[in-house]
Amino acid sequence: MSVRGGIARRHFRGGRGASSVPRPRGSGVQSALCLIVLSATGCQAPQNSSPDGVKTIEFTSIRRQLEMTARVRDQEQKSKVGAGSSSSKEKIFEEGLRLETEGSVYHPNFMEFSLAGLFGLLQEDFESEFGDRGRASSDTGDILEFDFEGNFLKKKPYPGTVYARQYRRLDPRPFLSSLQTTTQNYGFAWQYVDDKMPTSLQFDSTDVKLDTLDPDEEPGRQQNTTLRFDTSYRFDDHNVLSFTYDRRTVSEEPFNLAYDSDELTLGHRLDFGASHRHRLDSELVYFDQRGTFEIEQLRWRETLRLTHSETLRSWYQFEIMDRTQGTQSGVPPIQETSYLLSGTAEHKVYESLVSQLFAFGQFQNFKDGLEITRLGIQPSFDYRKKNPWGVLLANYQFRAQTEERQGAGRSFEVINERITFNDPEPAVLSNTEVAVSSIFVTAEDRATLYRAGEDYRVQRVGDRIEIERVPTGRITDGQTVEVDYTWEVAGDLTLDTLTHNFQIRQNFDLGLKPYYRLRKQDQTVTPVDATGVLPEDITAHIVGSEFRRESVRLLAEYEDHASTINPYEAIRLSGDYTHRFHRDGTSRLRLRWVDIDRSGDISRQTEFFTVEARHRQRIGKHLTLEGAVLYRTKDDSLSGPDEGVDLDLSLEWIVRETELRVTYEYGQFEDDFAE
């Protein structure tokens, strides 16, 4: 038996291998050269037998692979405003032997296992310069990766699984040295399969070490341990009592975040009525978290679902929550009791028309004197009708909500809110009245801290916060980051909001899909001189059309967003085309153009254009060529113009059990501040 390996297949379960090198974005020049030579053979391994002839360990196959990788990466940034120029160079060489096997112990029904390991040597060299200062470092080490998984007693009512893994990953970062991640992961899962009392127990421990090639950068570490016990008692198929216990331990460096948490959940499900068509779900949850960020919470929730007929159903929810939440940024701890009651009724008026009515009431009482009462109602209609040309879709939603606050205002803290940057639109925080000085932005790995002004810009629009990435910074387009901040809730006011949402769309059979959307919002604050809330009236019209036909997708959209806080007009055009050639080739072309004209307190016009082309071509029996180019330009009346290009070329040659891959990557970006 023989298998073919390759750089695209070099990874264990649970993570990518060390040779997986994502393409970074941003300015600078970089090149990468990867050389992988693999040799794999399979054979029937010798078996170990006990004196009575039973095989204690049986290997079904053994595969061997030889891997070698060479990688060079250059980065250079030139300042146009006297901030100094910087450059860095990385060299990495790896040689390793991978062994993979599968087998069983005594009998496949007793234990089946898979085992893989990578053993080798690693050499790293790093050089960097900033102005007239330079530094260099070199290091050698061992490569060790492994992946073991064993499945016990798979045909018994109490099967189990154990696993232990260690794998590496190398992530290039714009304007920083590459980040080498080493993950150790082990744990087990056990379950008791029983119709009356099914039970399961799971344990997982993960230790992630984040080491930078630049020794002057601070390393990071993330440790996470979870334990979950889950059991239930089935009185019958329609009456089930359940219990779940979750424990979690988290530790992160260099941000000194560490906490332990315990969560106990007691639940009950009861199906009742004719044909058991109704359901009552009850849940009691206790959550206790100790450490850097402390939370203690007790929640009781009842959910009732009623099916009145084939066309009418309703569901209701009642919840009481009591929580005490600590802080790590000087904000006073939160002590809150909350009551929530909501109900929804859904009626299928006709085959093509469905109506829904939702109503809710919530009362929050904070120990420091703040009380918040929310009442709301929301009717909606959904229409779907086939016609001779295709399908007509329409939706209307009306929402009326009042929020009354009494007592002194107070500050709240948000930890790890996830936002995603998609050029040229800014990311918006979910809460208003945010303290700008409290904003703390990090990468998802929590090892990279981004800096305001260099990596992102913060802009206050009315009472909301917009965050825009700096193109020459370390945040890439499409990247998700985590944000910590504090925000203020003002007291002694009433906020009334009326919202209308309407949309209609005709999906023609030929692929054309024109649409129209309307959003209208009216807000009032009482008293009119109340501070802490800035009411916003909005009337937004969106007209557009989408065309899809085989491998072609086109989109054109115009938006007129009239607002008392943030008015703008936007035109969005995009296209996507894919073509498959007869001689094993595939090409893809993507285009996008956006023009946004803001006319609020600060006039601003943004024009954004990107084009991306990719092609994969098989040349002969053993050779494959891949190429990609991405061009980006943006002209902003406030931040100025910028322009960038990324180029990737890859050549893969495979003959029997040997693979050679060469990759070259080039990126350049320029704006008013740097190149």
Side-chain angles (χ1 to χ4, degrees), residues 372-658:
I372 300 177
T373 303
R374 296 184 181 92
L375 299 173
I377 186 169
Q378 178 179 296
S380 63
F381 300 90
D382 284 288
Y383 182 77
R384 179 185 179 92
K385 183 68 173 179
K386 289 186 178 181
N387 52 53
W389 309 280
V391 179
L392 178 66
L393 304 171
N395 173 269
Y396 172 73
Q397 181 186 92
F398 169 76
R399 183 182 182 96
Q401 177 177 316
T402 181
E403 178 177 322
E404 183 181 359
R405 305 176 188 175
Q406 294 180 342
R410 64 154 300 129
S411 296
F412 291 85
E413 189 173 41
V414 175
I415 303 296
N416 296 349
E417 179 176 321
R418 294 164 59 90
I419 62 174
T420 301
F421 293 95
N422 291 304
D423 289 343
E425 308 284 352
V428 180
L429 296 181
S430 60
N431 295 297
T432 59
E433 293 299 328
V434 174
V436 175
S437 60
S438 69
I439 295 177
F440 186 81
V441 183
T442 67
E444 287 185 287
D445 58 22
R446 300 292 286 185
T448 304
L449 171 64
Y450 297 119
R451 300 181 180 91
E454 297 181 13
D455 300 310
Y456 64 90
R457 302 187 187 96
V458 177
Q459 180 179 357
R460 184 182 294 275
V461 180
D463 58 353
R464 72 175 187 175
I465 293 295
E466 295 183 348
I467 302 180
E468 183 179 20
R469 79 177 190 96
V470 176
T472 52
R474 296 170 293 168
I475 302 175
T476 60
D477 184 22
Q479 181 179 341
T480 298
V481 300
E482 296 186 348
V483 186
D484 303 344
Y485 60 89
T486 60
W487 62 291
E488 184 76 18
V489 175
D492 290 329
L493 60 86
T494 301
L495 176 64
D496 296 318
T497 305
L498 296 177
T499 305
H500 301 266
N501 288 291
F502 172 73
Q503 57 182 341
I504 185 170
R505 181 186 190 111
Q506 171 67 39
N507 294 341
F508 290 99
D509 293 335
L510 55 83
L512 187 64
K513 302 176 181 179
Y515 59 86
Y516 167 76
R517 294 198 296 266
L518 167 68
R519 180 192 175 197
K520 185 173 179 59
Q521 173 181 289
D522 296 309
Q523 281 189 330
T524 58
V525 174
T526 306
V528 293
D529 58 348
T531 59
V533 172
L534 187 60
E536 182 178 17
D537 295 337
I538 299 173
T539 301
H541 302 274
I542 300 176
V543 180
S545 182
E546 182 182 7
F547 178 77
R548 288 179 180 264
R549 190 86 178 256
E550 296 179 348
S551 57
V552 177
R553 178 184 177 272
L554 302 174
L555 177 67
E557 182 178 276
Y558 170 76
E559 179 177 1
D560 181 9
H561 189 96
S563 166
T564 55
I565 294 178
N566 184 35
Y568 63 86
E569 293 183 18
I571 301 175
R572 305 178 182 95
L573 304 175
S574 64
D576 193 320
Y577 174 71
T578 302
H579 182 73
R580 298 183 182 275
F581 297 92
H582 295 294
R583 298 179 57 85
D584 296 327
T586 303
S587 293
R588 185 170 189 177
L589 179 66
R590 288 181 174 179
L591 300 167
R592 184 176 175 223
W593 181 79
V594 179
D595 184 84
I596 303 175
D597 188 3
R598 296 178 174 88
S599 56
D601 295 337
I602 300 178
S603 179
R604 182 179 185 183
Q605 185 170 8
T606 304
E607 186 176 352
F608 178 82
F609 174 71
T610 61
V611 56
E612 180 180 8
R614 295 183 175 274
H615 181 74
R616 176 182 175 89
Q617 181 67 50
R618 187 165 184 176
I619 306 173
K621 184 179 180 180
H622 306 292
L623 195 62
T624 302
L625 175 67
E626 288 185 77
V629 60
L630 172 65
Y631 172 76
R632 173 193 189 276
T633 180
K634 178 182 176 182
D635 192 358
D636 192 288
S637 59
L638 289 183
S639 60
D642 57 57
E643 187 176 25
V645 63
D646 283 319
L647 175 66
D648 289 0
L649 292 175
S650 176
L651 192 66
E652 183 181 59
W653 181 67
I654 300 176
V655 177
R656 305 188 68 177
E657 310 303 337
T658 302

Side-chain angles (χ1 to χ4, degrees), residues 29-239:
V29 180
Q30 70 165 27
S31 63
L33 173 66
C34 297
L35 172 64
I36 309 292
V37 180
L38 296 92
S39 175
T41 60
C43 63
Q44 187 70 29
Q47 313 299 326
N48 297 326
S49 302
S50 61
D52 57 1
V54 177
K55 297 177 180 179
T56 55
I57 300 179
E58 181 177 3
F59 296 97
T60 57
S61 66
I62 298 179
R63 299 176 295 277
R64 298 179 290 271
Q65 301 174 353
L66 178 63
E67 303 182 0
M68 293 180 289
T69 303
R71 178 177 175 271
V72 179
R73 180 175 184 241
D74 289 308
Q75 291 190 114
E76 183 178 357
Q77 184 171 4
K78 299 178 182 179
S79 175
K80 296 181 178 180
V81 293
S85 300
S86 62
S87 63
S88 65
K89 187 173 184 178
E90 303 171 359
K91 296 180 182 178
I92 297 177
F93 301 96
E94 300 180 12
E95 305 88 24
L97 174 65
R98 183 181 300 277
L99 300 175
E100 299 178 355
T101 185
E102 297 174 351
S104 60
V105 177
Y106 287 107
H107 190 277
N109 291 339
F110 176 74
M111 177 183 174
E112 280 187 331
F113 67 86
S114 62
L115 177 63
L118 175 65
F119 314 92
L121 300 176
L122 169 68
Q123 180 178 339
E124 300 173 341
D125 295 296
F126 178 79
E127 300 176 4
S128 67
E129 293 183 1
F130 183 77
D132 57 355
R133 302 190 304 272
R135 62 179 184 271
S137 64
S138 181
D139 191 18
T140 58
D142 300 327
I143 299 175
L144 175 61
E145 298 184 22
F146 57 84
D147 186 352
F148 169 78
E149 181 173 315
N151 298 302
F152 292 89
L153 307 172
K154 61 182 182 180
K155 292 190 176 181
K156 297 292 185 179
Y158 36 82
T161 300
V162 295
Y163 55 88
R165 303 165 183 139
Q166 177 171 295
Y167 49 91
R168 300 158 51 249
R169 187 180 72 209
L170 192 66
D171 294 325
R173 300 179 297 171
F175 314 114
L176 288 173
S177 67
S178 295
L179 186 68
Q180 183 169 275
T181 303
T182 303
T183 302
Q184 293 180 343
N185 174 235
Y186 64 89
F188 68 85
W190 171 84
Q191 58 180 327
Y192 174 60
V193 182
D194 182 70
D195 293 336
K196 199 71 174 176
M197 194 173 178
T199 304
S200 65
L201 180 65
Q202 301 174 11
F203 172 80
D204 183 88
S205 177
T206 303
D207 187 355
V208 182
K209 296 181 180 179
L210 307 164
D211 297 311
T212 61
L213 295 189
D214 186 350
D216 287 355
E217 295 180 30
E218 191 171 4
R221 188 171 185 178
Q222 302 168 359
Q223 296 172 288
N224 193 333
T225 302
T226 60
L227 175 68
R228 181 182 179 89
F229 174 74
D230 191 348
T231 187
S232 62
Y233 185 79
R234 302 172 62 91
F235 299 96
D236 54 50
D237 291 341
H238 307 286
N239 188 358

